[in-house]
Amino acid sequence: MLLEASVMAHLERLGTKNIGFPSGNVDETLYSNGDGQLWAAFSNAADAKIPRRWNAFGVYDFKRHAQVITVEINIPTTSNAASVAGFFAHDPAAGATYLMHDGSVGGGKKGVGRSAFMTWSGLDLEDVARTDGEERAGIIIGRVDDPDLAGRIWRFVKIVRDFKAAVKQGDLENDAAKRSIAEWDEFRSESSGRRKGRRRAEFDYVSYHGDVVEALRVECEASAGKKSVCSIAR
């Protein structure tokens, strides 16, 4: 698979490592360039209720016996099941395929979920047409043939990591955050029946624009000391 080959080409093979998750743990070949950097592991979950390619990512901590998954970008292998967060969007005009994630971030902690993540991160959902005529919305992570796909996945992993840290710290428990999440839910509910899936000619622009916005957000937070005072137009 091009996705795996691209990531593996930029990360070192560390051998078999234990990876933990809420329901247990598993030993898999792990790829990473070292402590505090992106790690990746791939497997074929053919026996899952919805068969999928398991693509797990996290921040490597050499002190841990079991590495912690930050986010999975799994791809269904026998269907277009929307219950699996990852998917590919193909642009036939440009001949490009994009790795997407629908924003459904898990983690087993109260406050970790799609609405909260999308509100906190400020990332955009792009609507794309499915082969069955329906539409699906997702975050553009990057082109699967992008030489820096590993770097683009790493950017997404860091955003998810920071979001989960914010939830743990209680940053989303204030009234303003709760109101923003409720408004996001209402907006998506109202617009879901009117959205039409479409091929976005500007997919590359949207994807790389996210890198710029994230860099500005990081700089703003470093200068201000707190996220709440940063306002970045998207």
Side-chain angles (χ1 to χ4, degrees), residues 4-6 11 16 28-29 42 56 61 105 113-114 133 143 147 158 181 187 211 216:
E4 296 172 26
S6 179
L11 303 178
T16 301
E28 292 288 351
T29 301
F42 308 97
D61 184 347
V105 173
R114 189 188 196 204
R143 288 174 59 142
K158 288 188 289 184
I181 293 170
F187 171 75
D211 292 344
L216 290 172

Side-chain angles (χ1 to χ4, degrees), residues 24-61:
N25 61 84
V26 65
D27 290 330
E28 292 288 351
T29 301
L30 191 137
Y31 300 83
S32 177
N33 287 334
D35 192 44
Q37 300 299 310
L38 172 72
W39 68 255
F42 308 97
S43 183
N44 189 31
D47 295 332
K49 183 176 181 180
I50 300 175
R52 68 197 66 185
R53 191 65 187 169
W54 184 71
N55 306 314
F57 304 96
V59 183
Y60 186 62
D61 184 347

Side-chain angles (χ1 to χ4, degrees), residues 189-201:
S189 177
E190 291 179 348
S191 64
S192 62
R194 300 194 303 269
R195 296 197 321 274
K196 297 296 182 182
R198 61 192 184 279
R199 179 183 64 80
R200 288 290 298 257

